Amino acid sequence: MSQHDELTAVRHRIDDLTRTVDRLVEHVGHDVREIRRLRTDLAQLHQSVDLLHGRTASGEEPGTPRGAHPSPAPRHQPAPRPDEVVWVPDTPYDSSLWTDADDEGLGALHRHAP
């Protein structure tokens, strides 16, 4: 089966599913969140299949963004030179730096919730 035939078959399945959802709306109602979500998903499926069909017809690879060129090799940052490295001492910080600080997520020290 060719790719065009497979995409056509997928379109038919989506159309069948759309008709099934339309019948379901008669029982459930159209203003139900799940029905709206199904219809949005079906619209996205239709759009995706149309995009895939357009790409395969033009010879583009389906997995690549439209108009994309092969990406060059990623550029890596060089390792820092030893004279650029900042050493952080293991000794404790001066506690006066934290006297007015709040504990993140816990609120201010020595305060109680109302």
Side-chain angles (χ1 to χ4, degrees):
M1 184 180 259
S2 72
Q3 201 169 28
H4 174 74
D5 294 338
E6 289 176 356
L7 287 172
T8 302
V10 169
R11 279 185 181 167
H12 289 303
R13 299 303 181 271
I14 295 171
D15 291 339
D16 290 344
L17 186 58
T18 301
R19 285 188 290 277
T20 303
V21 169
D22 289 341
R23 285 192 304 268
L24 183 63
V25 167
E26 294 173 8
H27 299 287
V28 178
H30 64 63
D31 200 27
V32 177
R33 181 182 64 193
E34 289 79 8
I35 295 293
R36 290 192 308 264
R37 187 173 180 179
L38 278 172
R39 288 194 172 182
T40 301
D41 291 345
L42 285 169
Q44 289 176 348
L45 283 171
H46 273 288
Q47 184 180 23
S48 296
V49 170
D50 289 343
L51 287 171
L52 279 172
H53 189 267
R55 288 184 185 189
T56 56
S58 66
E60 291 183 37
E61 187 67 28
T64 58
R66 202 174 274 275
H69 302 288
S71 59
R75 292 184 176 177
H76 296 287
Q77 295 286 338
R81 295 190 331 232
D83 60 337
E84 294 177 346
V85 175
V86 177
W87 294 100
V88 179
D90 289 333
T91 58
Y93 288 107
D94 180 12
S95 62
S96 66
L97 292 172
W98 312 110
T99 54
D100 293 337
D102 292 342
D103 290 329
E104 184 176 333
L106 300 176
L109 187 63
H110 302 301
R111 288 194 202 154
H112 299 284

